Amino acid sequence: MAEPPHLPNETRSLLRFAREYGGCGRQATVAFAIPAPSRKGWMRRFDVIVIGCGPGGERAAIQAARAGKQVAVIERQHVMGGTRVNWGTIPSKTLRESALFVHSLVRDKLEGIRCEIPSEITVHDFMHRERMVVQRELELINESLDRYRIEVFVGQARFVDAHTVAVCGPDGGVLFSLTADFIVLATGSNPNRPGDVPFDGESVFDSNSILSLPAIPKSMVTLGAGVIGVEFASIFAALGVTVTLVDTRDRLLPYLDREIAAILERELGRLGITLLHNDRHASIERLPGDPARVRCTLRQGAVLEADALLYCVGRDGNTTGIGLELVGLEPNSYGLLTVNENYQTSVPHIYAVGDVIGYPALASTSMEQGRQAMRHAFGIPGVNSKTESLPFAIYSIPEVSYIGETEETLSDKGVDYVTGRGNYDMNPRGQIIGDTEGLLKLLFETGSLRLVGAHMIGHGASELIHIGQAFLRAGATAPQIAETLYNYPTLSDLYRHAAIKAILAFQQQGAPAPARRG
């Protein structure tokens, strides 16, 4: 991207520095303008300032700019995209694809296909495509920012007052200030790093540093069985690592449909993962050696030793050091901010979106929150759906995805329902790809047989759930889903089979009588 002609020489130097040396060794691309140090103290006015350029901030900025608003983005890193592109979603899912490939080779070897994998292999060896994908994502983000003439300022944001934000340099000094009618906090989150966990990037890691492992370990302890812990545990288990997964709760991923969660737990066991419930670490210590190992003592008394330990118990919102106290905003103990249904904080013209407001903290929901915040701020027409009702995916092995109600939530609400299941082992495509343990589960409200929930585990679940999303939004009924035609053979045809089974279950109970559960 060409530099704007009005930039002074100092700014051009900063741009070259950011492009060549920014962000964790990756080439950085920066939309126009980094103000010159010689202009310290100047102020510019915008319609909206967005702090943070991850998925939520990026989409908030673009939504406002498309409506003709003057938008400034402040990003403390020298790369755009946030955790999604640079350290989290894209890199970890790329590693997952490599793990699936290796796992399929090992599995197929038992069926007569022989392929040897070197014993000494690093995460870096698996990440060639990740580097290409990340670079392309960065290019696309910056092209979008450039297209809508969104100005990006690299530095640490800090509130001066309720409408003014200072941009500070590495030494904490104020370079310049921006003012706006509206401000969006999209600062994201970072892995929780308690003081009694000796993070060293060699044998003890968090979810940001785990992808910099010097070599694939033979054994690993994963503390925390949330989405991130389950994903990484299954990825490394698929690569042949002996994994012990420690869950602080008494049941795995309690918000999942319990039938789906039970299948996931069974499949994790088949990968060789040992899952320990209702426990957490009492102490963690490095053991001498080359390479060093790690010993983790759990509160219930178990002592675990492994080549590596991954700590992923929670994430904290990035709300320190930005002057929230000056505008009357107080995050909770996890650094998270509270917002209303329009993503307004307690200061109405200051919005917050993405990880910094907590659950569901997904890239997809963060994007929609950013768009909705700007629609509300500027009165932009558009459909505003609750992000809690958007599809949720866990990129474990196997994949899990769902949308809508679970059996548990329907029971709590006193809603009678009927269930239909589509099993991968009864689907020809499932047999072809070798996934015979997967399941699609559809929940229908009894009175109308309208779809109210879809839950899936197995190959392609994160993609196939969108069919359920479309049916949900259309208010589709079991007969309508059963009469929809699909390509053959496809996993999509599971929807037809599940709907037919729900209709049969309803008929067996007698149409006039309310359907019982299951």
Side-chain angles (χ1 to χ4, degrees):
M1 183 185 68
E3 295 171 357
H6 66 274
L7 294 182
N9 290 332
E10 299 97 320
T11 303
R12 296 180 189 278
S13 298
L14 284 172
L15 277 168
R16 284 194 294 273
F17 174 83
R19 289 176 180 142
E20 294 173 10
Y21 302 107
C24 296
R26 294 191 178 95
Q27 182 182 0
T29 46
V30 180
F32 33 88
I34 303 174
S38 60
R39 299 183 64 191
K40 286 183 181 180
W42 65 265
M43 179 181 293
R44 285 187 57 190
R45 179 170 183 78
F46 293 86
D47 294 311
V48 59
I49 298 167
V50 180
I51 302 176
C53 199
E58 176 197 344
R59 297 310 165 94
I62 290 173
Q63 179 73 74
R66 288 177 62 188
K69 306 303 179 183
Q70 293 240 314
V71 183
V73 168
I74 304 173
E75 172 56 56
R76 66 177 178 177
Q77 302 291 340
H78 284 289
V79 284
M80 305 301 109
T83 298
R84 168 183 62 113
V85 173
N86 298 287
W87 307 282
T89 306
I90 298 299
S92 65
K93 276 50 175 183
T94 305
L95 178 62
R96 179 183 182 273
E97 290 302 310
S98 300
L100 281 170
F101 176 71
V102 170
H103 183 59
S104 68
L105 290 178
V106 173
R107 181 191 64 198
D108 292 340
K109 185 176 180 180
L110 300 177
E111 301 173 9
I113 300 174
R114 299 198 171 274
C115 180
E116 297 300 325
I117 301 172
S119 58
E120 295 297 326
I121 192 166
T122 68
V123 173
H124 186 79
D125 294 326
F126 284 111
M127 300 299 280
H128 174 68
R129 275 198 60 78
E130 178 264 355
R131 292 186 288 277
M132 293 190 298
V133 173
V134 167
Q135 187 57 44
R136 181 57 180 152
E137 283 293 304
L138 291 174
E139 290 170 0
L140 291 172
I141 290 169
N142 282 277
E143 285 172 8
S144 294
L145 297 173
D146 189 28
R147 183 183 310 120
Y148 294 105
R149 300 196 63 79
I150 296 167
E151 297 197 49
V152 177
F153 301 88
V154 177
Q156 174 66 45
R158 190 169 71 226
F159 278 97
V160 175
D161 58 44
H163 287 275
T164 307
V165 180
V167 180
C168 305
D171 60 356
V174 175
L175 297 176
F176 50 93
S177 298
L178 310 176
T179 185
D181 296 327
F182 298 100
I183 296 170
V184 180
L185 293 167
T187 50
S189 65
N190 266 312
N192 176 257
R193 293 173 64 99
D196 63 342
V197 179
F199 297 100
D200 60 7
E202 296 179 4
S203 57
V204 182
F205 304 86
D206 63 22
S207 58
N208 280 1
S209 60
I210 191 66
L211 295 178
S212 299
L213 269 168
I216 301 294
K218 291 183 172 61
S219 58
M220 174 182 288
V221 173
T222 301
L223 297 180
V227 171
I228 295 173
V230 168
E231 287 181 351
F232 274 118
S234 64
I235 287 170
F236 282 102
L239 291 172
V241 179
T242 301
V243 178
T244 300
L245 178 60
V246 182
D247 190 356
T248 60
R249 296 169 289 205
D250 59 0
R251 58 180 185 165
L252 183 66
L253 300 170
Y255 43 82
L256 286 186
D257 177 274
R258 297 327 300 163
E259 184 177 2
I260 298 294
I263 296 172
L264 175 61
E265 188 162 345
R266 183 186 71 207
E267 292 304 298
L268 293 177
R270 288 183 175 179
L271 280 174
I273 296 172
T274 299
L275 179 57
L276 305 177
H277 286 294
N278 204 27
D279 211 346
R280 61 180 66 236
H281 77 280
S283 65
I284 299 171
E285 57 181 317
R286 293 186 64 196
L287 301 177
D290 187 19
R293 285 169 56 82
V294 61
R295 176 185 293 143
C296 177
T297 302
L298 302 181
R299 291 187 180 179
Q300 293 191 24
V303 179
L304 308 174
E305 292 189 8
D307 296 330
L309 182 143
L310 168 61
Y311 185 91
C312 45
V313 182
R315 295 179 67 87
D316 297 330
N318 293 329
T319 49
T320 59
I322 59 175
L324 292 182
E325 67 280 359
L326 297 177
V327 295
L329 290 178
E330 184 177 354
N332 66 17
S333 58
Y334 298 103
L336 304 177
L337 294 169
T338 300
V339 295
N340 63 15
E341 68 277 9
N342 299 312
Y343 305 102
Q344 293 171 289
T345 66
S346 57
V347 181
H349 70 277
I350 300 178
Y351 293 74
V353 300
D355 283 17
V356 77
I357 64 172
Y359 182 87
L362 302 172
S364 57
T365 54
S366 298
M367 294 176 191
E368 182 60 19
Q369 289 165 3
R371 287 187 286 258
Q372 290 190 23
M374 291 298 88
R375 288 186 197 132
H376 181 266
F378 295 110
I380 302 169
V383 177
N384 287 338
S385 302
K386 287 184 177 294
T387 54
E388 292 82 357
S389 64
L390 295 176
F392 191 104
I394 302 171
Y395 292 89
S396 50
I397 300 174
E399 284 183 22
V400 175
S401 197
Y402 69 88
I403 185 169
E405 303 283 358
T406 66
E407 289 194 73
E408 208 166 21
T409 60
L410 289 172
S411 296
D412 291 343
K413 295 176 181 178
V415 176
D416 287 314
Y417 61 91
V418 64
T419 302
R421 296 173 178 83
N423 298 85
Y424 278 47
D425 65 348
M426 298 179 68
N427 177 281
R429 188 61 180 270
Q431 297 172 42
I432 290 168
I433 63 178
D435 186 351
T436 57
E437 304 301 324
L439 173 69
L440 169 66
K441 180 176 180 179
L442 301 181
L443 303 176
F444 298 91
E445 188 270 325
T446 297
S448 62
L449 281 184
R450 180 177 58 86
L451 181 68
V452 292
H455 306 266
M456 199 165 195
I457 182 169
H459 179 84
S462 64
E463 298 281 355
L464 291 163
I465 200 64
H466 297 117
I467 298 174
Q469 179 186 22
F471 282 136
L472 272 170
R473 294 190 69 168
T477 63
Q480 290 171 329
I481 296 172
E483 292 167 6
T484 301
L485 297 181
Y486 305 88
N487 285 328
Y488 180 88
T490 62
L491 293 174
S492 301
D493 200 37
L494 290 164
Y495 278 92
R496 185 173 64 86
H497 284 273
I500 290 172
K501 288 185 178 180
I503 294 169
L504 290 174
F506 175 71
Q507 291 172 344
Q508 288 170 1
Q509 295 171 2
R516 302 312 300 163
R517 289 165 178 75

